[in-house]
Each structure stands twice: as structure tokens, then as C-alpha cells.
Amino acid sequence: MMKLDVAHILDWMEKANDKIQQNKTYLTSLDQAIGDGDHGINMARGFQEVIGKISASDYSNVSDLLKDISMTLLSKVGGASGPLYGTAFLKMSMALKDSDSVDYPQFVHAMEEALQGIKQRGKAEKGEKTLVDVWETLLEQLKEQDDFDSVRFEETAKLAMESTKELEAKKGRAAYLRERSIGHLDPGSVSSYYIFSSLSDVVKESV
Ligand code: ADP
Ligand code: MG
């Protein structure tokens, strides 16, 4: 049975930051094609700040840790994605109030709250070529199971990320391009894929 504690979430953020730093230029190039070219810079700055913040603090429960992650992303990422990721982690923190670890049903609940927060904030639905496509597809998959399957979770996130390529953007800057956005991956879906493949790695290593 999946169980995530403070150390797992610290590890998750370390791994996510590594992937984002390694792919900063790639994320930026994706955003240059259908946006304003700042997504890699935004995410790399924000996650580096997250690591700085959380490695300098002590946490006795996951919700305080997730809250610091959220506040750092909100204040340091910028763009459309900063408030969206910030809201997602804030909702997770609230859903896990005072928990010192997270079991599978709690994780699914936290993901559900996070997705709702993203959708409330960005007004996007699945299929509109935003990071909602990755988050909602993952949530649907999580609800079909009663425990975390890290291989399936990673594959689902990857397929959802790749599926944004053929979609026409309806929200965010890419929507200004209308049908010219087709044929390009959504940058936020790619960064969400990095975040979730990192989580998959953490769980894989912990069992
Ligand atoms: P900006 O678009 O302000 O430059 P970023 O480049 O950092 O911000 O982030 C762009 C990403 O944010 C997009 O690829 C998309 O996944 C996500 N995004 C943008 N607008 C929305 C929205 N309304 N709802 C959900 N996600 C969105
Ligand atoms: Mg941008």
C-alpha cells in the first residue's frame, strides 16, 4: 500500500527539480513555438526556489511541507503556470491537513482537490491543450485502482502529455494561435509530466 511521508515528498521535489533543470531549454523551446518562451525559465526558477525553501526547514507533517511548496511556486514561478501549480499544491496541502503521511485514498483525494483548484483558477477543461489534460487523465486512472501503480502512472502521464500535440489550444497564450497550435506539445503538460514521472520514481524506489 502506498504511503508517502515528509521524506518522500522532499525526494519528489528534488527529483522534479532535477528533471526541470535538465529540461529547462526544452521547455522554453516548446513555449517559444506556441507561447512566449518563458515556461522553462519560470519552472526552473520556481523549483530551484522550492528546493532552497524546503531544504532549509523542518517539517513534522506533509501539509506544512506542501504549503511551503505552494507558496514558493505562487510567488516565484510567475506566468499562468505559477498560480496554477501554486493552487494545486495549496489544495493538496489543505486536503492533507495535519497528516504525517499520505495513503492511497488520501493521495487520490488530494489530486482531486488539486485538479479542481486548477480548473477553478484557469477555467480550462480537459481537451483544451493545457496541463489539465495531464492532471485529469491521471486522476481518472487513479480512481480505477485501489493502490498506486507507478509504472502505469508514469505511462498514463506520458500518453496524456503526448496527446496534447494534436489538440487545438483553447486556453492560455497558445489559444491565440488557434489551429496553428496543432502539432506542438503543450509546455505545461510536459512540465506536469516531469513532476509526475518524478513521483512515480519516488514510489518505485520506496517499495
Ligand atoms: P504564460 O502562458 O503566462 O507564459 P507559462 O509559459 O509559464 O505561462 O505556462 C504556460 C502553460 O500554462 C501552458 O502550457 C498551459 O499548460 C498552462 N496554462 C495556461 N493557461 C491555462 C489555463 N487557463 N488553465 C490551465 N492551464 C493553463
Ligand atoms: Mg509562457
Side-chain angles (χ1 to χ4, degrees), residues 20 27 39-47 77 81 85 191 195:
I20 287 165
L27 287 174
H39 192 59
I41 297 158
N42 288 342
M43 294 298 288
R45 180 182 54 233
F47 273 79
V77 175
S81 57
Y85 279 122
S191 60
I195 291 168

Side-chain angles (χ1 to χ4, degrees), residues 10 43 51 74 76 83 110-111 121-122 131 169 174 192 194:
L10 290 170
M43 294 298 288
I51 298 306
L74 273 169
K76 306 288 180 184
M111 284 285 291
R121 186 118 200 182
L131 47 81
S192 289
Y194 295 148

